[in-house]
């Protein structure tokens, strides 16, 4: 019996696998401190044991209890599979449907150590973005998928496989919900307890919906963000010689270094975890690493520290990604020191990509402590750790504020950095602003918001054959589709976005972006997504692509996410804190043809701060797959554009009007006009 067959045969119980505990040489999630009462500890243990028959519970109970007390959660390390976790070619999975095999392919990619941040704790990215809550759930999931027919749907409750239920071939094969907690109880404190008890889970965005494609997903978004930041803030198209400073190389934020190289600037990225930094260096995503601030400054080139003129990266317009092993607060404060003592501003653009949605459990490390010391304090004295984190956030903002008085531009990258800084008492207030605005804009407000309003967002696909040649074929097809769209004539703003993405897709292979599954991403609108999907499906039917292709997207998209501090931060009609769009997206995708759908509480900005929905759609070369793609992808985009239209966004209004014209079956009620300020003031005059 093959290893994959064994994975699909249910929990290994007779005999039980050897308990090897936490593996050495693998990054592990920080210790959690849920603060469970004795009664809650007992409940957590009971919930973990319910996956196992009575004859093994007595052996497993003390083992699970020890995990709970040592790590703050029961991961069930004994059941972590010994086989290599990777996205195997789809034909190797022992399934009754290709849809189920495709889902297995995606799950195992999410847990691949080359992809996952903390693979043994089932964390894909973001510090706490789980695929499952424990390893028993993984085994049960694989077993259910191997049994599934086209007339069944698998239901997942926050990592827990509820079971296979009668359905129809037109329905989704899988429906996932994560963290659907009653709103009044959707707090961080409650989450820590509920997760420790094994009853809910933080799926982040694409971790808990099995659609993560490695850091490539955010590389492209970061490329577009930095590129357009240069256009907006610096008034330039060429970023050569410009310096972008940021932080975070673990999880998906490792993409920043690669993005800096692609746009042709100098990226300096700070990271406190040496293992995460070296992983990116070994993968070729970082060109250089150093633990010396002096070296960082010398590479940027003020005369006081310039050891060799040839190493002055800015003047030479050198393309560089430099990883600084240290705390970003030290880096920001050193840049302030250089400005105040030499008068030289060494940075042009800046942001932050620490997992600040999870600041007190490993998402952000205080500058006052070393990495190991901080991890220890986090576990033994969470209150003291929180105090240091908040002090560190205040210092970071203070340094950024000083630099921003010069020709330096900072934006919030949607990781809850400014939100947490505000909560820490940092000076980020914007006078007269609403609750979603700060001194510095969200990148959605200034950079990506108009892109979303035009219907463009992070469209993705995965070649389940695992063959790089299939990916090369899809690259060619996608570029050709977009080139044809431009040739047919499009609005200038749309043409610019198509052109950016054509260049991206044509150069993607050169930059070795694939980590894990053979996947690609590009930003496209509704018209482009549908056309690309149809081209792929027809290529599969002709045998030009050898196996099914899975379509998905980042939940961070036009209509997938309601997040007032990120995706919907440029919604100004008062509905930014409403989550109708994400829920309607999830439901609408389900009955329009998605192979699977997912709805999550929490995402890039944190638990209780966002509701987001995602999907997976399997293209298998059939006419049915093509019809599903046309219908579902159209809704998946139009939903969000229409919502932005009603919020008063002129670009979204024009986009939805054009979409109605192109698609005769689309009927949308449009607002007549945005009320003039004069009319409002006159009506409300005392």
């Amino acid at each position: 019996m093959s290893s994959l067959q064994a994975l699909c045969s249910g929990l290994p119980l007779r005999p039980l696998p050897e308990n090897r505990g936490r593996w050495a040489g693998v990054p592990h999630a920080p210790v959690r401190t849920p603060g469970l009462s004795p009664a809650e500890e007992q409940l957590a243990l009971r919930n973990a044991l319910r996956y196992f028959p009575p004859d093994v519970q007595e052996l497993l109970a003390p083992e699970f209890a020890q995990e709970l007390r040592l790590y703050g959660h029961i991961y069930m390390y004994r059941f972590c599979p010994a086989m290599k976790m990777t996205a195997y070619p789809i034909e190797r999975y022992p399934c009754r449907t290709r849809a189920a095999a495709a889902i297995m392919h995606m799950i195992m990619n999410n847990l691949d150590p080359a992809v996952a941040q903390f693979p043994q704790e089932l964390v894909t990215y973001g510090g706490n973005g789980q695929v499952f809550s424990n390893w028993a759930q993984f085994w049960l999931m694989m077993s259910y998928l191997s049994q599934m027919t086209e007339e069944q749907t698998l239901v997942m409750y926050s990592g827990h496989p509820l079971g296979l239920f009668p359905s129809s071939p037109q329905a989704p094969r899988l429906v996932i919900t994560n963290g659907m907690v009653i709103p009044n109880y959707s707090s961080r404190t409650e989450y820590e307890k509920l997760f420790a008890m094994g009853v809910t889970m933080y799926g982040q965005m694409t971790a808990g919906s099995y659609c993560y494609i490695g850091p490539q997903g955010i590389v492209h978004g970061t490329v577009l963000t930095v590129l357009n930041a240069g256009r907006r803030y610096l008034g330039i198209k060429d970023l050569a010689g410009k310096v972008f400073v940021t932080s975070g190389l673990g999880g998906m934020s490792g993409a920043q270094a690669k993005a800096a190289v692609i746009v042709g600037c100098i990226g300096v990225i700070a990271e406190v975890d040496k293992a995460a930094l070296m992983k990116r260096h070994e993968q070729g995503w970082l060109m250089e690493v150093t633990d010396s601030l002096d070296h960082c400054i010398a590479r940027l080139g003020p005369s006081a520290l310039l050891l060799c003129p040839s190493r002055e990266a800015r003047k030479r317009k050198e393309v560089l990604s430099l990883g600084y092993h240290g705390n970003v607060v030290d880096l920001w404060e050193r840049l302030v020191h250089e400005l105040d003592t030499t008068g030289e501003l060494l940075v042009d653009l800046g942001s932050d990509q620490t997992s600040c949605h999870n600041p007190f459990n490993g998402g952000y490390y205080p500058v006052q402590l070393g990495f190991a010391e901080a991890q220890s304090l986090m576990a033994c004295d969470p209150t003291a750790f929180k105090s240091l984190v908040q002090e560190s956030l205040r210092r970071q903002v203070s340094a950024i504020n000083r630099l921003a008085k010069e020709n330096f531009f900072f934006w919030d990258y949607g990781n809850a950095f400014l939100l947490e800084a505000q909560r820490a008492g940092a000076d980020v207030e914007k006078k007269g602003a609403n609750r979603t605005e700060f001194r510095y804009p969200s990148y959605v407000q200034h950079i990506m918001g108009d892109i979303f309003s035009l219907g463009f967002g992070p469209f993705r696909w995965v070649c389940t054959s695992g063959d790089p040649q299939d990916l090369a074929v899809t690259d060619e097809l996608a570029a050709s589709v977009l080139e044809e769209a431009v040739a047919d004539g499009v609005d200038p703003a749309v043409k610019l976005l198509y052109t950016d993405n054509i260049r991206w897709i044509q150069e993607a292979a050169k930059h070795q972006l694939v980590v894990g599954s053979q996947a690609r991403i590009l930003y496209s609108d509704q018209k482009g997504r549908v056309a690309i999907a149809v081209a792929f499906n027809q290529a599969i039917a002709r045998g030009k692509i050898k196996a099914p292709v899975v379509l998905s997207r980042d939940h961070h998209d036009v209509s997938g996410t309601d997040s007032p501090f990120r995706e919907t931060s440029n919604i100004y009609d008062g509905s930014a804190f409403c989550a109708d769009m994400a829920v309607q997206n999830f439901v609408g995708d389900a009955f329009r043809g998605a192979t699977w759908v997912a709805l999550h509480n929490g995402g890039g900005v944190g638990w209780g701060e966002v509701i987001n929905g995602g999907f997976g759609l399997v293209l298998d070369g059939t006419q049915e797959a093509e019809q599903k793609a046309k219908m579902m992808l159209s809704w998946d985009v139009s939903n969000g554009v229409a919502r932005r239209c009603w919020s008063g966004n002129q670009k979204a209004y024009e986009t939805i009007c054009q979409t109605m014209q192109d698609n005769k079956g689309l009927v949308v009620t449009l607002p007549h006009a945005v009320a003039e300020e004069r009319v409002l003031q006159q009506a409300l005059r005392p």
Side-chain angles (χ1 to χ4, degrees):
M1 184 162 57
S2 74
S3 295
L4 281 175
Q5 286 176 320
L7 276 185
C8 296
S9 61
L11 274 163
L13 298 173
R14 294 174 179 82
L16 288 170
E18 177 189 359
N19 183 10
R20 294 174 294 162
R22 278 193 166 195
W23 298 346
V26 175
H28 289 288
V31 173
R32 312 187 77 91
T33 52
L36 299 184
S37 68
E40 289 167 336
E41 285 186 335
Q42 190 175 87
L43 190 56
L45 191 56
R46 181 182 292 118
N47 289 340
L49 291 169
R50 64 187 169 183
Y51 294 105
F52 303 92
D55 63 317
V56 298
Q57 288 184 0
E58 193 168 349
L59 172 66
L60 295 176
E63 185 178 300
F64 290 169
Q66 184 181 38
E67 283 187 19
L68 182 62
R69 287 170 179 163
L70 285 178
Y71 309 120
H73 187 73
I74 300 171
Y75 296 105
M76 305 183 185
Y77 289 117
R78 177 190 288 270
F79 296 95
C80 183
M83 72 170 294
K84 182 180 180 182
M85 194 69 66
T86 191
Y88 292 96
I90 190 171
E91 70 272 7
R92 293 185 57 182
Y93 292 99
C95 296
R96 300 169 72 179
T97 74
R98 282 184 288 185
I103 295 167
M104 286 185 176
H105 180 93
M106 301 290 280
I107 288 171
M108 294 189 73
N109 184 65
N110 269 29
L111 293 169
D112 183 338
V115 175
Q117 186 178 11
F118 305 125
Q120 222 186 347
E121 288 77 39
L122 304 110
V123 173
T124 300
Y125 66 88
N128 59 352
Q130 306 281 148
V131 185
F132 301 102
S133 180
N134 58 57
W135 284 104
Q137 294 173 350
F138 167 82
W139 286 91
L140 288 173
M141 177 70 162
M142 298 294 279
S143 176
Y144 279 135
L145 287 171
S146 70
Q147 301 171 49
M148 177 191 287
T149 71
E150 292 286 354
E151 295 185 341
Q152 292 174 317
T153 292
L154 176 58
V155 176
M156 296 293 292
Y157 277 16
S158 292
H160 171 68
L162 198 67
L164 288 168
F165 294 85
S167 186
S168 72
Q170 291 73 40
R173 300 278 66 82
L174 173 64
V175 177
I176 305 165
T177 52
N178 283 312
M180 290 294 106
V181 174
I182 303 300
N184 279 354
Y185 302 92
S186 188
S187 67
R188 279 184 183 150
T189 302
E190 290 290 343
Y191 162 69
E192 291 294 342
K193 288 193 173 188
L194 292 171
F195 178 63
M197 288 191 289
V199 295
T200 198
M201 192 182 84
Y202 189 78
Q204 261 280 353
M205 290 188 147
T206 52
S209 60
Y210 322 141
C211 291
Y212 189 59
I213 61 167
Q216 177 187 174
I218 196 174
V219 170
H220 185 37
T222 307
V223 165
L224 291 179
T225 302
V226 178
L227 203 61
N228 284 290
R231 291 167 178 166
R232 179 182 181 107
Y233 300 131
L234 304 177
I236 57 175
K237 295 180 181 179
D238 183 1
L239 286 167
K242 300 301 179 184
V243 177
F244 172 50
V245 170
T246 182
S247 56
L249 286 166
M252 65 180 184
S253 57
Q256 297 177 111
K258 178 66 79 174
V261 171
I262 292 173
V263 301
C265 72
I266 300 161
V268 183
I269 306 97
E271 172 58 57
V272 295
D273 183 354
K274 189 173 184 179
L277 181 140
M278 295 311 298
K279 179 179 179 179
R280 296 304 174 206
H281 189 235
E282 289 160 9
Q283 289 176 338
W285 291 59
L286 266 178
M287 294 168 65
E288 296 179 13
V289 296
T290 183
D291 59 4
S292 165
L293 279 174
D294 283 350
H295 181 80
C296 287
I297 300 304
R299 288 297 273 127
L300 299 181
S303 55
L305 278 171
L306 192 56
L307 306 178
C308 172
S310 67
R311 293 182 63 79
E312 192 171 352
R314 287 186 306 143
K315 286 187 178 179
R316 288 168 53 85
K317 295 189 176 181
E318 184 177 346
V319 176
L320 173 67
S321 56
L322 173 62
Y324 166 57
H325 179 218
N327 197 292
V328 74
V329 180
D330 285 328
L331 178 57
W332 285 122
E333 291 181 341
R334 179 60 180 269
L335 290 167
V336 169
H337 173 76
E338 296 300 322
L339 174 63
D340 289 341
T341 56
T342 70
E344 195 163 6
L345 179 67
L346 299 177
V347 57
D348 302 283
L349 301 170
S351 191
D352 185 277
Q353 267 284 51
T354 55
S355 296
C356 224
H357 69 277
N358 182 37
F360 311 124
N361 197 245
Y364 183 96
Y365 282 83
V367 66
Q368 305 91 329
L369 303 174
F371 183 62
E373 190 180 4
Q375 286 192 307
S376 176
L377 185 66
M378 186 194 313
C380 68
D381 192 345
T383 302
F385 182 80
K386 178 178 180 179
S387 177
L388 290 179
V389 164
Q390 292 187 321
E391 180 188 332
S392 188
L393 283 166
R394 292 192 295 271
R395 282 176 56 180
Q396 182 168 343
V397 168
S398 178
I400 290 167
N401 287 349
R402 170 66 187 94
L403 295 167
K405 291 178 181 178
E406 310 300 326
N407 195 37
F408 161 73
F409 300 91
F410 183 88
W411 67 87
D412 185 283
Y413 221 142
N415 62 333
F417 172 72
L418 290 181
L419 181 62
E420 287 303 326
Q422 180 190 57
R423 290 168 176 167
D427 182 13
V428 294
E429 181 183 356
K430 179 180 179 181
K431 292 181 180 178
N434 63 40
R435 285 190 291 168
T436 66
E437 293 183 287
F438 300 99
R439 174 192 288 246
Y440 304 104
S442 155
Y443 75 121
V444 173
Q445 289 170 315
H446 269 197
I447 303 169
M448 303 301 286
D450 283 349
I451 292 176
F452 285 168
S453 297
L454 290 167
F456 282 77
F459 181 57
R460 300 174 170 183
W461 61 89
V462 175
C463 297
T464 64
S465 64
D467 188 343
Q469 183 55 39
D470 272 358
L471 185 61
V473 172
T474 62
D475 284 349
E476 291 173 10
L477 288 171
S480 176
V481 165
L482 298 185
E483 286 169 346
E484 287 177 17
V486 172
D488 288 343
V490 291
D491 177 90
V494 172
K495 182 179 180 180
L496 177 63
L497 290 169
Y498 272 147
T499 303
D500 284 346
N501 282 280
I502 291 167
R503 184 168 67 242
W504 159 268
I505 206 74
Q506 289 174 338
E507 296 184 0
K510 301 176 187 175
H511 293 283
Q512 300 178 329
L513 297 167
V514 170
V515 177
S517 60
Q518 293 295 316
R520 188 68 76 221
I521 180 176
L522 63 75
Y523 270 55
S524 184
D525 57 357
Q526 175 187 323
K527 184 177 180 179
R529 295 186 208 202
V530 171
I532 290 169
V534 170
F536 288 175
N537 197 60
Q538 292 175 353
I540 295 166
R542 296 194 307 268
K544 191 174 181 182
I545 297 173
K546 293 182 285 298
V549 170
V550 174
L551 302 182
S552 70
R553 55 161 169 73
D554 196 336
H555 300 207
H556 166 63
D557 197 5
V558 181
S559 61
T561 299
D562 283 298
S563 178
F565 296 101
R566 194 161 81 174
E567 284 80 2
T568 47
S569 60
N570 65 335
I571 298 289
Y572 297 119
D573 67 348
S575 70
F577 290 89
C578 301
D580 300 84
M581 182 177 72
V583 175
Q584 289 282 0
N585 185 266
F586 162 81
V587 175
D589 284 354
F591 66 72
R592 286 180 173 87
T595 308
W596 72 94
V597 288
L599 186 68
H600 303 328
N601 169 14
V605 296
W607 184 264
E609 304 286 357
V610 52
I611 299 293
N612 63 80
F615 75 87
L617 175 63
V618 177
L619 298 177
D620 60 6
T622 62
Q623 187 61 36
E624 291 80 5
E626 181 173 319
Q627 289 304 315
K628 287 179 177 180
K630 288 178 177 177
M631 186 166 292
M632 197 223 78
L633 293 173
S634 294
W635 163 251
D636 195 65
V637 176
S638 293
N639 176 34
V641 177
R643 191 265 177 98
R644 285 170 166 78
C645 167
W646 271 97
S647 74
N649 186 292
Q650 183 63 29
K651 288 185 183 294
Y653 181 89
E654 293 167 2
T655 301
I656 204 70
C657 287
Q658 183 62 53
T659 305
M660 291 169 65
Q661 184 178 327
D662 293 342
N663 184 349
K664 303 304 181 184
L666 185 67
V667 180
V668 179
T669 303
L670 295 173
H672 290 290
V674 177
E676 293 183 25
E677 191 73 21
R678 173 187 59 79
V679 174
L680 302 178
Q681 290 181 357
Q682 186 173 336
L684 295 171
R685 187 176 299 155

